[in-house]
Amino acid sequence: FIRFVVLINYPLYIRSVPTQGELKFHYTVHTSLDVVEEKISGVGKALADQRELYLGLLYPTEDYKVYGYVTNSKVKFVIVVDSSNTSLRDNEIRSMFRKLHNSFTDVMCNPFYNPGDPIQSKAFDSIVSTMMVQAC
Amino acid sequence: MSPAQWDLPPELCCRPMAFVALTGLDVVYNAIHRAIWDAFCANRRADRVPISFKVLLGDHEYPKCRTKRTSYEWYIPKGILKTGWMNKHLNLVPALVVLFYELDWDDPQWKEKQSECATKVEIVRTSLQGRNTKVAVVLIQKKTPLPPGEDLVASERASALCGACDLSGKSLFVLPHTDHLVGYIIRLESLDVEYLSFAVNRNFYIAEFIYKDPHTFHVLSCRYYRTAYSLVHELRAHETNMLEIKTMAGFINYKICRLCFQHNTPLDAIAQFRKHIDLCKKKIGSAELAFEHTAWMSKQFQSFGDLFDEAIKLGLTAIQTQNPGFYYQQAAYYAQERKQQAGQLCSHEPGVVYPAPDPLETPSGALDFYGQRPWRQGHQSIDPPDSEKEKQGILALQVKERDVLHSELVIALLSNAVAQFKKYKCPRMKSHLMVQMGEEYYHAKDYTKALKLLDYVMCDYRTERWWSLLTSILCTALKCSYLMGQVKDYITYSMELMGRASILHEEQKSRIEKNLIKVLMNEVPQPEPDCDLTSVKTAQSLWSDRISLAGNNEFTIEVQDYVPFVQCKAKFLYPSFHIDEPVQLHVYVRADCPHPVRFSKLCVSLSNQEYNQYCLLEDTSKEKDILETSTQENMCLVPGKTRKYCFKFVAKTEDVGKKIEITSVGLMLGREMGRYVYLNWRGGWGDAASSHETLQASRSFKRRTRLPEQQLDWDTVTIQSSTMIISRVPKISVQLTHEPPALTNEMYCMIVTIQSEEDTVAKDIKLTAGLKPGQDASLTQSTQITVNGSEVCDDSHPALLPDISLGDLQPGQKPLYIHCMSTGSRILLFHVAYSVSATVEGKDINCKCHKDETVTLETVVPFEVAMKFVSSKFEHLERVYVDIPFLLMMDILSASPWPIELVNSEVQLASSMTPIDQPQSQVEGVTLQTSECASECFLLKCPPVQNGTSTVASGHYFISWKRKSAFAETSVVRTIVILPHVMLENIPLYVHAELPSFGRVRESLPVRYHLENRTGLVQDVEIGVEPSDAFMFSGLKQVRMRILPGAEQEMLYNFYPLMAGYQVLPQLNVNLLRFPNISSQLLRRFLPSRIFVKPQGRNGDTSIEAA
């Protein structure tokens, strides 16, 4: 399975395939924020500008891998994949995040989108769908 | 099976130590032996080699060794590791037997002793037969040995002894019984180590061959363990021996991980553990006993967590993403899994009982091999030997599993994990685990604890706006509160689950709402779904008991901590209200629940509680049936629609200038007579989610959708939770008439004109006028105000004249006089207060009104006065001389934009100066326009002073003046100017000349010089006259004379002018021999230097005069 989440500290967008075990997945994403926050705060202020947006594997669990990405405006992207999924390497995950970020930027550029509201963009949705098809 | 079945055996977990047996020591009766033993045992610190010592008799029976087998194949059918093996090798079979024997090299009975020693060695050897145990001999000697090589007897006898005992030279030690016993012992021990590296790495059989190293050679032993580990996995695994293999794998894994941690290579430990888990994860074994696998998995994680934690306690640093918490968490996960599987596999029919005879019973009471089934020990074939027995065995295990308190296990593991995550800054993980704990408590039917935990973490999820998670927690919490019959909690959670923060479906919300209404109507709610049936029964009776309304039935919910289904915003219509208009307050209420809901009371609390009675909406009818439809409709909240309630009240006059705040809004659901809940919005609005929503709404660019008439968009309602009561708008006009700028010290007139535009009489008009408070303090001291313009103010007049009572308004004027004593601008305030009666909402109130008028007044100096001292020749004087006349000159320069009339002027001299003539004002009645100047002068002289030179005061100059104005009668102002001080000096000799005002060419010009001695001494004076081109003269050209004190000498010269015009007189040089510092130049200042000489004229021409 693969799951995508965009969040500030609360979710703006959650998409997951398949949908069972959703609650556990939400908990996983929520708890992964601990690591994200620790990683962001670990970076000194001076280095914040040059900070690598991709945070890599946040923490390993038995069943899934959680990857994180944080934009400069502290919007977090999280991708959760099955830990048995070996086809997705770090590079692929990284490029998925980049696509997600680009698409998110487009969403933000929409004058009718109010930052902080849930994302309901069709374009964003279709980008995520494409990536999901590729990943699975 | 005991719950400890999955625990690792204690022999496995303890620190392995080499077992060394000491024989030949009589520790009870022999003091020397005792001392040796104590030296071995005492102070076993960590730096000493880990050895466990034991004193045994020389003929101690060691466990018998089986006869050597020729092939390892022989072992396979039996099992892998015997249960007693580890204990045996740790505590029973020594790695080394040390024989102590008292023997000196020069013992007289050497031969006998030697053979006795050899016998003892032989006895030990025999009893250890077949074991890989080494034997060493220690000779206890009374004499200190000589250095090696010097004692020939000793070396010879030593080799003989070795030969007799069949020992290598390395196995023979000498222990001299001296003072340095401990030192020797330690040395002996280190020799042991050397020994043991060969001797103790005995190969034990775990699987095929496992080298168990009880010593310090971690790396080596680790390698052996790893080999053993891979060998275990190479074993043919099938359902019957799966448990045995896993048990063994677990043991070895434990050892490897432990060694890795000890060796400070935690990453190796983690990698090994991961590998172990990956290998074993799928080895479930018998499906009927799947819970065994999960139990085992759980135990693996738990013991690894323990190892990890132990390593941390010994100094290892863990990180956020790699800490023991994860392993405990995973252990808990498997424990939960186990519980689930146990629930599925062990839910037998009620008739199924524990099988008899007990298939788990073994003849010895224990298992021979780890991980084998008690009913088929040693059996190694793929199929169970007896299928009936197998069934019985499985049933027995299942029945046992049913009695295990799984929840307790889970909770213990979870709380371990919580403690770890707390340490490693994972608040969210901690919350998540606490939720799991809460849920586990819920399953264990400990609802109180469950609720406590859930309630504790709920607010974190609420503030982080993870509604999906909050909803799930709330559902569990609601179940708990239902099962416990906790009314308040039940209501609180229901309200939140019905609200906008909940992601439940409409039908679920609808069910909850119906239940909530039931509770509020004092009925028993429907049970929550998926609850334990017996618990539901208990709960139902609890709820039924509560129908009697015993206990508390009034609940208040502070809304700011929750996100309930009702939202509220209360606002004043305006930020301020005048006292003569009613204060208006709107309360907006909106419900998010699926069905309409009726409330029974809405009340607003204000900071002044007297107004609360006006802001109350109450269901007046006490009975439900006779409700008026209008009220019913009014107090019913339709989902999704915003309802507005308007309140109005007249503020009290004493609240003018005060703030009225909404302290809270309360909404009552339920019935006041029965059970009710009171939702309380502190500050009149907002719950736990509101502030974020307001922020989002304020940011939104979205065009508000047009709503039909009388419907409101919730987001557009802004908050105004306080309002000011301000006084009524005054209907009067205040006008100020004056002629700025003011002149310093004048009585500046301002006329205040007040005109009423009120409909009724304006009473008690009071004017407060003066300097506006809050300005520079110096202005307060230099500004005075009065209503009486006829006399100049003094300090007794205030800067602000309060409450000039003007009585009831007669249209009119009021002149005020302001006395500004310093320049600069100042703000003047004119405050007119009065009262008038008005009618608001049918109420008569006496309103106090006031109007403020301020004006900035510039003050300038009216004129500048410049003063100077000049000589009678109008020369500027820096100092004046005693008794010599001089002039005081005043220049008055007008700086005022308005004309100034100088009424009078006067010089008031100090005692040190006297006027020569009667001083009279020369500027009286002069009017100065802007920048015009008036001058006057006074002829003065100074009487002698005591001591030669001093500065003397001159006195004061008074100018009386007034502004020349057609606007108002002005009073005369007397301005005082302090005259400057001047240097006064005595002069010893005064010279003055007496000469005609002009001369005429070739006519004699008599000049008389007077020399006055002003001292008390006889003066020697040298006088000379310098020749001049313009004059001839007769008289003494050079003379030296004496002038008596106080006497005057007259010198007469006849000058005879030769040229016409202004001519320089022949210069008179006077030298005072006694006062050399009084120069001729100084004295010459008193004398005229030039004279006008007229040409030789015709007769009668006398009109030309010198200037």
Side-chain angles (χ1 to χ4, degrees):
Chain A
F1 61 82
I2 184 157
R3 284 153 169 183
F4 292 85
V5 190
V6 179
L7 28 81
I8 304 174
N9 265 342
Y10 60 93
L12 297 180
Y13 181 91
I14 294 191
R15 181 84 180 276
S16 65
V17 171
T19 45
Q20 66 259 38
E22 187 108 3
L23 190 64
K24 191 185 172 195
F25 158 65
H26 283 200
Y27 273 120
T28 308
V29 174
H30 184 243
T31 49
S32 73
L33 289 180
D34 284 337
V35 186
V36 173
E37 272 184 7
E38 186 72 14
K39 287 204 177 186
I40 303 175
S41 69
V43 180
K45 262 235 153 120
L47 293 168
D49 295 340
Q50 299 117 48
R51 182 172 60 80
E52 168 77 79
L53 302 180
Y54 177 55
L55 300 177
L57 186 65
L58 293 180
Y59 69 91
T61 62
E62 285 307 294
D63 316 318
Y64 36 74
K65 293 182 206 153
V66 185
Y67 296 92
Y69 185 95
V70 179
T71 71
N72 283 323
S73 52
K74 302 276 187 293
V75 176
K76 291 130 191 156
F77 299 112
V78 173
I79 294 180
V80 182
V81 296
D82 202 319
S83 58
S84 62
N85 189 337
T86 46
S87 63
L88 288 170
R89 308 264 168 105
D90 212 44
N91 260 341
E92 275 106 53
I93 298 283
R94 198 186 281 259
S95 78
M96 283 205 285
F97 273 129
R98 210 158 292 147
K99 273 188 211 159
L100 214 55
H101 192 178
N102 285 340
S103 188
F104 178 72
T105 314
D106 292 343
V107 171
M108 291 297 283
C109 291
N110 178 355
F112 298 105
Y113 175 71
N114 186 20
D117 280 351
I119 296 171
Q120 284 160 332
S121 151
K122 277 181 191 163
F124 190 80
D125 227 25
S126 71
I127 294 275
V128 173
S129 302
T130 328
M131 284 197 281
M132 278 185 154
V133 170
Q134 283 166 357
C136 292
Chain B
M1 268 189 236
S2 63
Q5 178 210 1
W6 303 106
D7 288 345
L8 296 170
E11 305 90 281
L12 189 74
C13 304
C14 70
R15 189 179 175 205
M17 293 199 285
F19 174 40
V20 173
L22 310 178
T23 67
L25 284 181
D26 182 5
V27 293
V28 185
Y29 299 110
N30 192 323
I32 295 168
H33 292 184
R34 178 84 213 171
I36 293 168
W37 170 240
D38 286 347
F40 271 113
C41 299
N43 307 319
R44 290 222 65 91
R45 289 192 314 260
D47 57 335
R48 285 176 77 172
V49 181
I51 299 174
S52 72
F53 292 102
K54 222 176 237 183
V55 176
L56 298 172
L57 293 175
D59 52 356
H60 178 79
E61 285 283 328
Y62 299 97
K64 282 281 174 292
C65 190
R66 295 217 184 77
T67 47
K68 281 259 179 218
R69 281 105 190 188
T70 46
S71 156
Y72 300 124
E73 295 303 315
W74 196 87
Y75 296 103
I76 295 167
K78 277 283 192 182
I80 304 174
L81 182 63
K82 285 192 97 174
T83 48
W85 183 88
M86 280 188 288
N87 183 40
K88 191 167 79 181
H89 286 277
L90 278 173
N91 299 321
L92 300 176
V93 180
L96 172 74
V97 176
V98 184
L99 181 69
F100 286 85
Y101 192 72
E102 281 188 45
L103 185 60
D104 278 299
W105 293 128
D106 51 353
D107 196 282
Q109 292 169 304
W110 170 260
K111 276 274 176 227
E112 290 81 356
K113 291 260 172 107
Q114 183 186 318
S115 63
E116 192 193 344
C117 180
T119 321
K120 283 195 173 174
V121 170
E122 196 48 42
I123 293 167
V124 171
R125 282 247 171 82
T126 324
S127 65
L128 282 171
Q129 188 143 47
R131 296 277 177 206
N132 221 340
T133 308
K134 295 283 174 192
V135 179
V137 173
V138 177
L139 299 180
I140 303 168
Q141 299 191 331
K142 293 194 178 67
K143 289 177 185 153
T144 317
L146 293 168
E150 284 183 25
D151 194 345
L152 290 175
V153 182
S155 51
E156 184 191 314
R157 288 197 168 170
S159 60
L161 188 64
C162 284
C165 304
D166 192 16
L167 283 173
S168 79
K170 281 181 180 168
S171 308
L172 180 67
F173 303 95
V174 172
L175 179 66
H177 172 62
T178 58
D179 299 337
H180 309 290
L181 196 60
V182 177
Y184 274 104
I185 296 291
I186 289 171
R187 230 183 86 214
L188 203 60
E189 271 181 18
S190 61
L191 286 169
D192 280 349
V193 176
E194 197 180 311
Y195 231 94
L196 292 164
S197 61
F198 301 103
V200 183
N201 277 319
R202 295 166 305 174
N203 32 10
F204 297 147
Y205 69 98
I206 290 182
E208 309 303 304
F209 267 102
I210 293 172
Y211 284 75
K212 178 174 190 295
D213 178 4
H215 229 277
T216 50
F217 282 19
H218 288 299
V219 184
L220 191 64
S221 53
C222 204
R223 198 189 307 144
Y224 285 125
Y225 277 132
R226 280 180 199 281
T227 320
Y229 186 80
S230 55
L231 286 170
V232 164
H233 281 292
E234 275 170 31
L235 284 177
R236 261 186 306 162
H238 40 82
E239 228 167 73
T240 44
N241 72 346
M242 192 67 95
L243 182 65
E244 188 174 8
I245 291 175
K246 279 194 300 193
T247 308
M248 278 325 295
F251 285 1
I252 304 165
N253 175 66
Y254 179 82
K255 279 286 176 195
I256 299 175
C257 293
R258 190 185 164 129
L259 279 173
C260 289
F261 276 124
Q262 274 174 9
H263 222 224
N264 209 10
T265 50
L267 292 180
D268 289 354
I270 291 165
Q272 162 64 29
F273 183 70
R274 289 242 67 84
K275 194 177 104 189
H276 172 58
I277 290 303
D278 287 344
L279 280 169
C280 299
K281 199 154 59 174
K282 299 279 151 60
K283 297 190 176 174
I284 296 163
S286 164
E288 288 155 296
L289 297 171
F291 53 84
E292 281 193 334
H293 175 67
T294 40
W296 179 82
M297 284 295 276
S298 171
K299 193 69 212 173
Q300 296 306 303
F301 278 100
Q302 190 194 350
S303 31
F304 187 77
D306 287 341
L307 276 180
F308 200 167
D309 193 33
E310 199 178 302
I312 288 164
K313 277 180 193 139
L314 292 172
L316 184 74
T317 35
I319 52 167
Q320 191 195 34
T321 50
Q322 192 56 263
N323 70 60
F326 285 102
Y327 298 96
Y328 288 128
Q329 187 198 9
Q330 202 60 31
Y333 165 74
Y334 276 111
Q336 279 166 331
E337 196 90 324
R338 173 189 180 184
K339 187 179 93 176
Q340 221 166 38
Q341 285 166 344
Q344 282 164 11
L345 296 168
C346 312
S347 49
H348 303 285
E349 297 290 308
V352 178
V353 287
Y354 193 78
D358 188 353
L360 304 185
E361 201 69 22
T362 53
S364 63
L367 286 171
D368 283 349
F369 290 90
Y370 284 116
Q372 287 195 346
R373 297 294 180 203
W375 61 88
R376 49 171 167 79
Q377 288 202 69
H379 181 85
Q380 290 285 303
S381 68
I382 292 172
D383 294 316
D386 182 346
S387 63
E388 191 51 40
K389 241 186 177 173
E390 189 72 18
K391 254 188 216 160
Q392 291 292 310
I394 288 170
L395 179 64
L397 287 174
Q398 285 174 342
V399 171
K400 286 225 158 180
E401 181 71 14
R402 200 171 54 190
D403 300 337
V404 173
L405 297 169
H406 293 102
S407 289
E408 268 180 26
L409 295 174
V410 174
I411 288 163
L413 288 168
L414 283 172
S415 72
N416 270 356
V418 166
Q420 294 290 339
F421 282 115
K422 206 169 166 181
K423 241 193 277 179
Y424 296 102
K425 285 193 224 159
C426 302
R428 292 182 184 87
M429 184 62 104
K430 196 186 112 196
S431 304
H432 174 39
L433 291 168
M434 283 170 81
V435 170
Q436 287 187 323
M437 268 170 89
E439 281 167 355
E440 204 53 54
Y441 273 122
Y442 164 72
H443 291 307
K445 297 180 191 163
D446 191 342
Y447 303 122
T448 321
K449 276 186 183 155
L451 211 51
K452 206 172 158 190
L453 278 163
L454 294 176
D455 201 55
Y456 183 80
V457 292
M458 227 180 264
C459 80
D460 293 339
Y461 290 99
R462 200 180 286 119
T463 46
E464 296 226 298
R465 305 175 52 80
W466 275 79
W467 303 138
S468 54
L469 304 181
L470 180 66
T471 307
S472 140
I473 298 166
L474 279 170
C475 283
T476 318
L478 183 67
K479 284 178 196 166
C480 291
S481 54
Y482 167 75
L483 293 172
M484 284 195 294
Q486 296 269 33
V487 182
K488 188 183 176 184
D489 289 337
Y490 188 84
I491 292 171
T492 314
Y493 300 137
S494 299
M495 285 192 164
E496 203 158 11
L497 277 171
M498 283 153 62
R500 59 198 196 286
S502 149
I503 59 157
L504 288 183
H505 293 298
E506 278 303 280
E507 61 264 32
Q508 286 168 296
K509 285 189 178 179
S510 152
R511 184 184 59 75
I512 292 170
E513 184 175 359
K514 279 175 190 151
N515 273 339
L516 176 67
I517 288 167
K518 272 189 180 164
V519 171
L520 290 175
M521 299 318 281
N522 200 18
E523 289 168 28
V524 177
Q526 289 297 310
E528 290 299 307
D530 310 322
C531 280
D532 182 67
L533 284 176
T534 49
S535 301
V536 167
K537 280 218 180 77
T538 331
Q540 271 166 337
S541 73
L542 276 173
W543 283 99
S544 313
D545 291 348
R546 298 223 56 169
I547 292 180
S548 66
L549 291 176
N552 188 17
N553 284 295
E554 308 161 14
F555 308 105
T556 303
I557 295 175
E558 292 294 333
V559 167
Q560 69 273 7
D561 304 330
Y562 304 97
V563 190
F565 71 100
V566 190
Q567 294 182 75
C568 167
K569 281 181 182 178
K571 62 178 266 191
F572 285 107
L573 224 51
Y574 306 108
S576 62
F577 286 92
H578 292 291
I579 183 74
D580 59 337
E581 56 186 349
V583 176
Q584 292 184 62
L585 178 74
H586 288 180
V587 178
Y588 299 84
V589 184
R590 179 186 142 116
D592 308 310
C593 53
H595 304 295
V597 68
R598 226 174 56 76
F599 63 91
S600 50
K601 196 171 168 186
L602 175 71
C603 55
V604 183
S605 304
L606 297 162
S607 51
N608 185 343
Q609 297 188 348
E610 281 179 56
Y611 303 129
N612 290 1
Q613 51 181 314
Y614 306 111
C615 306
L616 181 69
L617 180 68
E618 210 169 358
D619 186 355
T620 41
S621 56
K622 293 296 169 205
E623 288 304 311
K624 190 172 148 193
D625 310 315
I626 50 164
L627 260 184
E628 288 169 49
T629 32
S630 61
T631 325
Q632 196 167 20
E633 230 165 63
N634 194 22
M635 301 184 79
C636 185
L637 299 173
V638 180
K641 282 197 182 152
T642 304
R643 217 168 232 298
K644 182 170 89 176
Y645 298 95
C646 305
F647 300 103
K648 237 189 219 182
F649 60 88
V650 179
K652 294 195 182 306
T653 43
E654 54 266 35
D655 274 350
V656 172
K658 286 184 190 159
K659 210 178 192 182
I660 301 181
E661 275 177 291
I662 302 172
T663 47
S664 70
V665 172
L667 183 86
M668 191 198 279
L669 296 166
R671 310 212 45 90
E672 203 158 6
M673 306 309 291
R675 182 180 286 157
Y676 67 87
V677 60
Y678 197 72
L679 291 172
N680 192 36
W681 283 270
R682 215 184 286 161
W685 76 288
D687 50 41
S690 297
S691 55
H692 178 85
E693 283 162 358
T694 314
L695 180 70
Q696 282 299 108
S698 70
R699 274 197 206 150
S700 179
F701 302 106
K702 254 181 235 162
R703 189 164 294 230
R704 311 267 171 233
T705 43
R706 287 215 161 203
L707 291 170
E709 273 299 292
Q710 290 181 327
Q711 283 200 30
L712 276 158
D713 182 10
W714 181 257
D715 289 337
T716 54
V717 178
T718 51
I719 304 297
Q720 174 74 50
S721 60
S722 67
T723 193
M724 280 293 279
I725 302 301
I726 52 177
S727 56
R728 183 174 167 278
V729 181
K731 289 187 186 159
I732 54 164
S733 69
V734 176
Q735 277 179 342
L736 298 171
T737 323
H738 60 124
E739 289 180 321
L743 304 176
T744 321
N745 280 326
E746 82 168 314
M747 293 299 285
Y748 184 67
C749 180
M750 294 185 97
I751 295 170
V752 183
T753 312
I754 301 164
Q755 190 165 6
S756 166
E757 286 149 26
E758 293 284 356
D759 301 335
T760 53
V761 184
K763 288 171 285 189
D764 293 338
I765 298 194
K766 282 186 176 138
L767 169 69
T768 298
L771 203 61
K772 192 178 178 186
Q775 298 182 78
D776 192 349
S778 63
L779 287 179
T780 316
Q781 276 156 26
S782 61
T783 310
Q784 288 145 7
I785 188 155
T786 180
V787 288
N788 180 11
S790 60
E791 57 188 59
V792 176
C793 292
D794 53 25
D795 288 344
S796 65
H797 289 87
L800 183 70
L801 202 61
D803 297 338
I804 307 164
S805 183
L806 301 178
D808 293 354
L809 187 74
Q810 313 292 327
Q813 299 179 330
K814 187 79 195 169
L816 286 166
Y817 294 91
I818 295 152
H819 184 213
C820 301
M821 293 178 290
S822 65
T823 55
S825 70
R826 59 201 78 200
I827 303 165
L828 299 176
L829 170 77
F830 296 88
H831 174 94
V832 181
Y834 66 99
S835 62
V836 70
S837 57
T839 312
V840 195
E841 301 272 305
K843 268 176 103 177
D844 279 339
I845 52 166
N846 190 23
C847 301
K848 287 204 166 73
C849 302
H850 63 84
K851 181 149 186 164
D852 283 358
E853 202 69 46
T854 58
V855 64
T856 306
L857 183 65
E858 209 54 60
T859 307
V860 297
V861 268
F863 47 78
E864 308 268 2
V865 180
M867 286 151 291
K868 56 190 177 197
F869 293 97
V870 291
S871 71
S872 47
K873 287 156 80 182
F874 284 97
E875 287 172 334
H876 178 72
L877 282 182
E878 262 169 27
R879 53 188 68 189
V880 296
Y881 295 96
V882 173
D883 276 346
I884 297 168
F886 61 90
L887 288 168
L888 173 63
M889 270 198 82
M890 323 292 192
D891 294 325
I892 304 165
L893 175 69
S894 165
S896 155
W898 304 95
I900 294 172
E901 186 186 339
L902 300 176
V903 178
N904 198 3
S905 74
E906 189 191 341
V907 171
Q908 211 170 69
L909 289 171
S911 60
S912 54
M913 284 189 193
T914 48
I916 288 177
D917 50 359
Q918 206 57 48
Q920 243 184 359
S921 176
Q922 294 145 20
V923 292
E924 192 179 323
V926 172
T927 301
L928 290 177
Q929 299 293 331
T930 311
S931 72
E932 280 182 344
C933 184
S935 299
E936 62 178 332
C937 62
F938 301 95
L939 186 61
L940 309 168
K941 74 172 189 181
C942 289
V945 287
Q946 296 297 324
N947 42 352
T949 312
S950 67
T951 309
V952 292
S954 316
H956 296 93
Y957 182 50
F958 297 92
I959 305 168
S960 299
W961 57 277
K962 64 180 188 181
R963 170 194 286 246
K964 232 183 170 175
S965 168
F967 158 71
E969 189 51 45
T970 55
S971 55
V972 174
V973 185
R974 198 166 135 101
T975 301
I976 303 168
V977 182
I978 298 167
L979 295 172
H981 284 57
V982 70
M983 288 274 276
L984 178 63
E985 216 168 272
N986 269 320
I987 191 142
L989 188 79
Y990 177 50
V991 184
H992 60 103
E994 210 179 283
L995 76 169
S997 52
F998 62 92
R1000 205 179 277 270
V1001 174
R1002 285 196 208 110
E1003 264 179 34
S1004 164
L1005 178 70
V1007 174
R1008 206 181 292 268
Y1009 291 107
H1010 297 266
L1011 288 88
E1012 264 175 59
N1013 182 359
R1014 293 213 167 161
T1015 61
L1017 302 166
V1018 178
Q1019 296 257 24
D1020 281 330
V1021 185
E1022 232 177 46
I1023 300 168
V1025 182
E1026 304 228 332
S1028 163
D1029 290 345
F1031 293 94
M1032 290 194 296
F1033 65 91
S1034 68
L1036 296 167
K1037 191 183 178 192
Q1038 185 148 25
V1039 70
R1040 193 175 165 155
M1041 58 183 166
R1042 286 189 167 180
I1043 305 171
L1044 292 175
E1048 187 183 311
Q1049 182 71 48
E1050 203 182 272
M1051 309 271 292
L1052 182 64
Y1053 289 88
N1054 258 323
F1055 290 154
Y1056 190 71
L1058 301 174
M1059 287 177 239
Y1062 265 111
Q1063 298 299 340
V1064 176
L1065 285 168
Q1067 208 171 358
L1068 182 76
N1069 287 329
V1070 183
N1071 277 324
L1072 299 178
L1073 301 175
R1074 275 181 187 274
F1075 297 93
N1077 56 334
I1078 303 289
S1079 70
S1080 181
Q1081 272 102 346
L1082 176 69
L1083 293 174
R1084 231 180 273 146
R1085 286 181 59 174
F1086 304 124
L1087 301 175
S1089 56
R1090 289 156 182 263
I1091 191 159
F1092 187 72
V1093 178
K1094 291 183 176 179
Q1096 210 167 15
R1098 296 166 295 269
N1099 285 335
D1101 185 4
T1102 56
S1103 62
I1104 304 165
E1105 288 189 8

